[in-house]
């Protein structure tokens, strides 16, 4: 993938949800009218969409390498649904196990050269429906209430897009560390 020198780029960092669950959630999202799910891999966000420059992106990619080498893999259990309503029209699948590991990894990622303040406190989750009519949100909340997935989070991915909302994987980082505390940082 070619990046324009010194041009703006939007970056995001996420834990991918592996197969078969990634495709199952993506298909559900598309069924609820979430057309953007066709271009967004199923994931748990570590760094939300953040505009930066290609120069700073290179620094971020180096930082993410350091984070991945210090961060251990961990078990994740996704179970049931939750919502951010009435604050935000979002229904999501809950991270039932692995929350503290996601929080530590998120802090370490966000404490790098593309440090940003969050609009809301970090809450690891897998988005299913966002900004759809209330009846769609209610249906998703009910239909996925029994959803369960268990996997080892052993990598995270830096994604980019150039204003087209198509998220493209740029670099995949294996989680190689032994001590979860080594990744803690502050933004």
């Amino acid at each position: 993938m070619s990046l324009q020198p010194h041009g703006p780029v939007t970056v995001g960092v996420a834990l991918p949800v592996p197969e078969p669950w990634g495709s199952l959630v993506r298909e559900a999202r598309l069924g609820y009218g979430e057309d953007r799910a066709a271009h967004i891999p199923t994931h748990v966000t570590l760094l939300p969409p953040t505009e930066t420059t290609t120069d700073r992106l290179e620094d971020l990619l180096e930082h993410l390498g350091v984070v991945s080498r210090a961060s251990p893999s961990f078990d994740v259990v996704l179970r049931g649904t939750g919502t951010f309503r009435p604050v935000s029209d979002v229904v999501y699948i809950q991270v039932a196990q692995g929350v503290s590991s996601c929080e530590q990894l998120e802090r370490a990622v966000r404490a790098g050269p593309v440090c940003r303040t969050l609009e809301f406190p970090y809450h690891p989750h897998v988005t299913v429906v966002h900004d759809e009519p209330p009846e769609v949100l209610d249906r998703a909340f009910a239909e996925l209430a029994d959803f369960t997935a268990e996997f080892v989070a052993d990598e995270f991915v830096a994604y980019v897009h150039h204003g087209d909302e198509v998220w493209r994987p740029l670099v995949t980082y294996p989680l190689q560390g032994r001590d979860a505390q080594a990744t803690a940082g502050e933004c």
Side-chain angles (χ1 to χ4, degrees), residues 9-13 47-53 56-57 60 110 114-118 159 161 167:
V9 63
T10 300
V11 62
V13 179
L47 178 71
T50 302
E51 189 170 300
T52 190
T53 63
R56 290 194 66 212
L57 177 60
L60 173 64
R110 202 166 45 85
V114 183
C115 187
R116 70 168 282 184
T117 304
L118 297 179
Y159 296 91
H161 79 70
W167 287 98

Side-chain angles (χ1 to χ4, degrees), residues 8-30:
V9 63
T10 300
V11 62
V13 179
L15 289 172
V17 174
E19 297 302 332
W21 305 287
S23 292
L24 290 172
V25 173
R26 179 181 283 186
E27 291 303 316
R29 291 189 74 189
L30 291 167

Side-chain angles (χ1 to χ4, degrees), residues 9-186:
V9 63
T10 300
V11 62
V13 179
L15 289 172
V17 174
E19 297 302 332
W21 305 287
S23 292
L24 290 172
V25 173
R26 179 181 283 186
E27 291 303 316
R29 291 189 74 189
L30 291 167
Y32 295 125
E34 277 286 321
D35 294 338
R36 63 187 134 199
H39 305 293
I40 302 173
T42 305
H43 67 279
V44 176
T45 299
L46 297 173
L47 178 71
T50 302
E51 189 170 300
T52 190
T53 63
T54 52
D55 289 341
R56 290 194 66 212
L57 177 60
E58 289 179 20
D59 293 339
L60 173 64
L61 297 179
E62 287 180 27
H63 169 72
L64 294 177
V66 171
V67 170
S68 75
R69 288 187 295 276
S71 302
S73 60
F74 56 96
D75 294 331
V76 174
V77 175
L78 304 177
R79 184 181 303 126
T81 51
T83 184
F84 293 129
R85 294 190 289 179
V87 175
S88 180
D89 288 333
V90 173
V91 169
Y92 57 85
I93 296 171
Q94 298 185 72
V95 175
Q97 181 180 335
V99 173
S100 64
S101 295
C102 287
E103 290 171 341
Q104 290 172 2
L105 193 53
E106 181 270 343
R107 277 193 307 275
V109 165
R110 202 166 45 85
V114 183
C115 187
R116 70 168 282 184
T117 304
L118 297 179
E119 186 177 347
F120 301 104
Y122 180 70
H123 180 81
H125 65 281
V126 176
T127 299
V128 176
V129 182
H130 184 237
D131 290 338
E132 294 293 332
E135 60 274 9
V136 174
L137 294 164
D138 293 342
R139 185 165 58 95
F141 188 87
E143 289 177 356
L144 293 173
D146 293 330
F147 180 90
T148 299
E150 298 181 23
F151 60 93
V152 175
D154 58 2
E155 65 184 19
F156 62 85
V157 180
Y159 296 91
V160 295
H161 79 70
H162 299 284
D164 59 2
E165 299 298 320
V166 176
W167 287 98
R168 295 167 183 90
L170 187 60
V171 180
T172 299
Y173 295 91
L175 295 173
Q176 303 171 353
R178 298 191 197 307
D179 179 12
Q181 296 303 316
T183 63
E186 292 299 324

